[in-house]
Amino acid sequence: MKTVFMFSGQGAQYAGMGKDLYENYAVAKEVFDRADEVLGYSIKDICFSDEEKLGLTEFTQPAILTMSIAAMKVLQENGINADMTAGLSLGEYSALVASGAMKFEEAVALVQKRGKFMSEAVPAGKGGMFAIIGLDTALVEKACEEAVKEVGGVAVPANYNAPGQIVIGGDAATVEKAGEIAKEKGAKLAVKLKVSGPFHTSLLQPAADKLLPELEKLNIGKMEIPVYTNVTAEVLKSESDIVPTLAKQVVSPVRWEHIIRNMYDAGADTFIELGPGKTLCGFVKRTVKGIVNVNVEDTASLEKALLKIKKA
């Protein structure tokens, strides 16, 4: 058996996340308490009860990372460890913590800055993102190209999540047009996402520029397990690739579907989503078959996951 730890990205957050873990497991409590010390405010209060702040990118990112690592610690305490890891966008930082390459304390402080830089990069209302459901990749890419020709500006695939599910991002009017064209080409749905910016597009370059010097301050450790990166969907070859890849990640499409396929091809048969929600489990389900696919976000999901893993 080869086990994958996969980590949730932004958008999965909900008020109350992590509360059960905090109250029931000392290792989870320790993670939240350490995050509070590093950040200088209570991330647990934001996770457990402050829906408004939880929706702001600069708080969302450290909140999800903290909750994800708390879930991982609880799972590891139950004897489950990873053979490989990856995370969706923000989740890549959790994956790097899981691999040993990044210290949790440094990661949680860094993703708060990342969230701030990302939300500042594009003025409110200027950018947008749409989820295109039920259309082939090539046709989604074509819809973006046609919208750019017609309207100008930027519209590109930002997340290749799973077969038949691609998120596009760019200038508000251009992506809206691309969504309309995608529907004309046969997409079942083109859904506008509630996000603060056109993430993983060239419009986020100002955020990447601000992030790079912060990334360069990191004390990068040895990767104890392979980390598959969003940028190439391949394993990071060496520790020296981490900083430039994370800077590039902000403006590059997330190749999640390809990551899942590559992990599966490398022998992964147990995929465990750590963090809020089951979004990644849904993407895995649409991408590969015949594997164990579970999530851990509280006691109930932990018990269910452990049962399924032991049965496999």
Side-chain angles (χ1 to χ4, degrees), residues 232-263:
T232 62
E234 306 287 343
V235 173
L236 281 164
K237 287 190 171 59
S238 83
E239 285 75 13
S240 62
D241 293 336
I242 292 172
V243 166
T245 300
L246 288 176
K248 204 188 277 184
Q249 192 228 50
V250 179
V251 293
S252 303
V254 171
R255 301 187 179 279
W256 191 254
E257 179 189 334
H258 311 94
I259 287 175
I260 297 303
R261 291 191 192 283
N262 288 343
M263 287 178 149

Side-chain angles (χ1 to χ4, degrees), residues 14-70:
Y14 58 86
M17 68 179 198
K19 193 168 191 283
D20 173 274
L21 297 174
Y22 182 85
E23 289 171 352
N24 291 297
Y25 305 93
V27 283
K29 183 179 186 298
E30 191 192 326
V31 171
F32 277 98
D33 291 346
R34 268 161 58 210
D36 286 1
E37 276 174 44
V38 170
L39 295 166
Y41 59 81
S42 179
I43 199 75
K44 62 177 170 287
D45 286 354
I46 292 171
C47 284
F48 302 166
S49 58
D50 194 339
E51 203 156 350
E52 195 181 327
K53 266 192 176 165
L54 194 54
L56 300 173
T57 300
E58 68 177 282
F59 296 116
T60 314
Q61 296 204 11
I64 290 176
L65 183 129
T66 301
M67 192 252 169
S68 300
I69 298 303

Side-chain angles (χ1 to χ4, degrees), residues 147-165:
V148 170
K149 267 187 199 152
E150 204 172 311
V151 183
V154 173
V156 289
N159 292 63
Y160 294 91
N161 287 330
Q165 187 173 344

Side-chain angles (χ1 to χ4, degrees), residues 130 143 146-148 150-151 172-182 184:
F130 278 75
E146 287 174 21
V148 170
E150 204 172 311
V151 183
T174 320
V175 279
E176 191 152 340
K177 187 69 192 168
E180 286 167 21
I181 296 169
E184 286 163 18

Side-chain angles (χ1 to χ4, degrees), residues 49-109:
S49 58
D50 194 339
E51 203 156 350
E52 195 181 327
K53 266 192 176 165
L54 194 54
L56 300 173
T57 300
E58 68 177 282
F59 296 116
T60 314
Q61 296 204 11
I64 290 176
L65 183 129
T66 301
M67 192 252 169
S68 300
I69 298 303
M72 180 188 78
K73 293 288 185 191
V74 171
L75 186 62
Q76 286 175 325
E77 203 176 44
N78 280 273
I80 309 292
N81 289 295
D83 299 293
M84 52 185 99
T85 186
L88 185 86
S89 185
L90 159 72
E92 192 159 308
Y93 288 78
S94 300
L96 285 160
V97 172
S99 79
M102 214 179 265
K103 290 188 177 76
F104 169 70
E105 291 82 356
E106 288 193 351
V108 81

